Amino acid sequence: MLRCVQLARQGAGYVAPNPMVGAVLVYQDRIIGEGYHKEYGGPHAEVNCIGSVAPIDRPLIKESVLYVSLEPCAHHGKTPPCADLIISHGIPEVVVGCRDPFTLVDGKGIEKLRQAGVRVHMSSMEEECKELNKRFLTFHLAHRPYIILKWAQSGNGKIADFSGRRLMISNEITQKLTHRWRSEEASILVGTNTAMMDNPLLDTRHWGGAQPTRIVIDLSLRLPEDLKIFNITESRTIVFNTRKHCLEGKIWFFRLDLQKGIISQIVQGIYDLGIQSVLIEGGARLLQSFIDEGAWDEARIISNKSLVFGDGLDAPRFQDALLVSEKNILNDQVCIYEK
């Protein structure tokens, strides 16, 4: 099952809104096949796993155990049901990492296998398999996107100075890491001031992979149309505002009601648009608003310990967060917190 999880992670950034899934076929403690879900709309992990079995080993499939990190699907989507594939190959035993909460699956795959006489067991690595697909599970169980906060700060906790100029706080290696983070999420969100002052691309040019949906908050629609975030050749852009609600080319204008909570409307709007995760990159006030509302799952903070300046904009602050990861990349300290 550990190998299933390792394989599944290779699909990060390519399979959403589908979950990441890995599968391993074992005959008497020997792996004879393995695979993972590589891209959205493509073959599932079970298909790639069974398809990888060498011709000399194919007669062993009917005597093997299939390990899969997520419950096999039982419905026709972009591909046929994996449960039917397992049954058709006569695989007698399946170990499932965790149950799939998606409405069209949600136990139906396990039930179909058992009705066909397949012995199905739940893995002891259920928590690891759930962690792998925390975005997918949050979307389908909590009915909201998985929310990640990210910012870079100086050694004395400043996110910017008061000059209005853009500061390069993190080093080149850490910048590549942040672009990898972008490639793993379905969307990136910034506030009006960040879009205006930094004119960010919000892409994955330093890493590659899928381009996330760009989201900006522009309540009064005052951002210039020539900003890079409105370059429709890159990826679609969503604008949360208070003026209009319509689709114009690849730009979706989503109207907010000022009489209601702005943050909760943004979270609901992202969910309604079918976006499973969002990486919030600034600015400080927007990040703090999500923290104050308790609307976050992870916070990823990059601190340049060698950079210290006097007056400046304080970085966001939170309480009762759990430090789950910490590492140094040259002069940068990268800390990841969970709520």
Side-chain angles (χ1 to χ4, degrees), residues 39-53:
E39 61 181 352
Y40 177 68
H44 288 187
E46 297 92 330
V47 177
N48 289 330
C49 175
I50 294 172
S52 75
V53 178

Side-chain angles (χ1 to χ4, degrees), residues 35-97:
Y36 65 97
H37 186 29
K38 295 182 178 181
E39 61 181 352
Y40 177 68
H44 288 187
E46 297 92 330
V47 177
N48 289 330
C49 175
I50 294 172
S52 75
V53 178
I56 194 172
D57 286 332
R58 296 198 72 80
L60 305 177
I61 292 177
K62 293 184 177 182
E63 302 176 52
S64 299
V65 179
L66 177 69
Y67 293 79
V68 60
S69 58
L70 187 71
E71 176 183 1
C73 61
H75 67 290
H76 284 270
K78 290 185 176 295
T79 60
C82 289
D84 289 353
L85 178 72
I86 294 168
I87 294 168
S88 68
H89 279 82
I91 297 173
E93 191 170 358
V94 176
V95 180
V96 175

Side-chain angles (χ1 to χ4, degrees), residues 50 58 61 101 140 201 213 235 254 256 326 328:
I50 294 172
R58 296 198 72 80
I61 292 177
H140 287 286
L201 285 166
T213 295
S235 63
F254 198 102
L256 302 174
E326 180 179 2
N328 293 314

Side-chain angles (χ1 to χ4, degrees), residues 109-179:
I110 293 173
E111 181 61 26
K112 176 176 277 193
L113 291 173
R114 285 176 171 162
Q115 287 181 350
V118 179
R119 300 188 299 277
V120 180
H121 314 281
M122 300 305 296
S123 170
S124 60
M125 289 185 62
E126 181 179 7
E127 291 306 312
E128 290 85 348
C129 292
K130 286 182 176 179
E131 174 68 17
L132 171 69
N133 282 306
K134 54 192 174 184
R135 298 159 182 80
F136 178 80
L137 296 174
T138 297
F139 188 84
H140 287 286
L141 294 176
H143 305 292
R144 63 169 178 82
Y146 190 84
I147 302 170
I148 301 172
L149 312 178
K150 174 262 172 181
W151 70 85
Q153 63 185 25
S154 66
N156 59 333
K158 303 294 182 181
I159 201 170
D161 65 14
F162 288 139
S163 68
R165 64 188 176 92
R166 185 177 183 183
L167 290 177
M168 298 304 293
I169 294 177
S170 55
N171 62 54
E172 291 184 2
I173 298 176
T174 310
Q175 288 174 28
K176 289 183 179 179
L177 173 62
T178 62
H179 280 233

Side-chain angles (χ1 to χ4, degrees), residues 56-293:
I56 194 172
D57 286 332
R58 296 198 72 80
L60 305 177
I61 292 177
K62 293 184 177 182
E63 302 176 52
S64 299
V65 179
L66 177 69
Y67 293 79
V68 60
S69 58
L70 187 71
E71 176 183 1
C73 61
H75 67 290
H76 284 270
K78 290 185 176 295
T79 60
C82 289
D84 289 353
L85 178 72
I86 294 168
I87 294 168
S88 68
H89 279 82
I91 297 173
E93 191 170 358
V94 176
V95 180
V96 175
C98 66
R99 185 164 164 160
D100 186 340
F102 181 49
T103 305
L104 295 177
V105 185
D106 197 16
K108 298 180 181 67
I110 293 173
E111 181 61 26
K112 176 176 277 193
L113 291 173
R114 285 176 171 162
Q115 287 181 350
V118 179
R119 300 188 299 277
V120 180
H121 314 281
M122 300 305 296
S123 170
S124 60
M125 289 185 62
E126 181 179 7
E127 291 306 312
E128 290 85 348
C129 292
K130 286 182 176 179
E131 174 68 17
L132 171 69
N133 282 306
K134 54 192 174 184
R135 298 159 182 80
F136 178 80
L137 296 174
T138 297
F139 188 84
H140 287 286
L141 294 176
H143 305 292
R144 63 169 178 82
Y146 190 84
I147 302 170
I148 301 172
L149 312 178
K150 174 262 172 181
W151 70 85
Q153 63 185 25
S154 66
N156 59 333
K158 303 294 182 181
I159 201 170
D161 65 14
F162 288 139
S163 68
R165 64 188 176 92
R166 185 177 183 183
L167 290 177
M168 298 304 293
I169 294 177
S170 55
N171 62 54
E172 291 184 2
I173 298 176
T174 310
Q175 288 174 28
K176 289 183 179 179
L177 173 62
T178 62
H179 280 233
R180 191 193 84 184
W181 289 345
R182 286 180 177 182
S183 75
E184 294 172 348
E185 306 310 327
S187 65
I188 306 175
L189 170 64
V190 296
T192 308
N193 291 336
T194 298
M196 182 77 79
M197 296 176 64
D198 294 350
N199 193 16
L201 285 166
L202 300 185
D203 63 5
T204 60
R205 62 192 179 279
H206 294 316
W207 184 261
Q211 299 292 345
T213 295
R214 301 165 299 183
I215 306 176
V216 63
I217 301 172
D218 183 16
L219 296 182
S220 59
L221 294 179
R222 63 185 177 89
L223 291 175
E225 294 181 358
D226 61 353
L227 288 180
K228 295 173 183 176
I229 197 172
F230 297 125
N231 182 342
I232 62 174
T233 63
E234 297 297 326
S235 63
R236 68 170 175 165
T237 298
I238 297 167
V239 183
F240 283 104
N241 69 98
T242 60
R243 302 289 180 84
K244 59 183 179 180
H245 194 89
C246 62
L247 178 64
E248 297 181 3
K250 292 182 70 174
I251 301 177
W252 173 251
F253 293 91
F254 198 102
R255 186 168 56 232
L256 302 174
D257 184 350
L258 287 178
Q259 303 302 313
K260 300 178 182 178
I262 295 296
I263 300 301
S264 60
Q265 288 182 80
I266 291 172
V267 172
Q268 185 64 47
I270 293 172
Y271 172 78
D272 290 343
L273 290 167
I275 299 172
Q276 288 188 3
S277 65
V278 57
L279 179 66
I280 303 175
E281 293 203 0
R285 187 169 69 175
L286 177 63
L287 288 160
Q288 191 65 58
S289 296
F290 273 82
I291 292 171
D292 293 344
E293 291 284 335

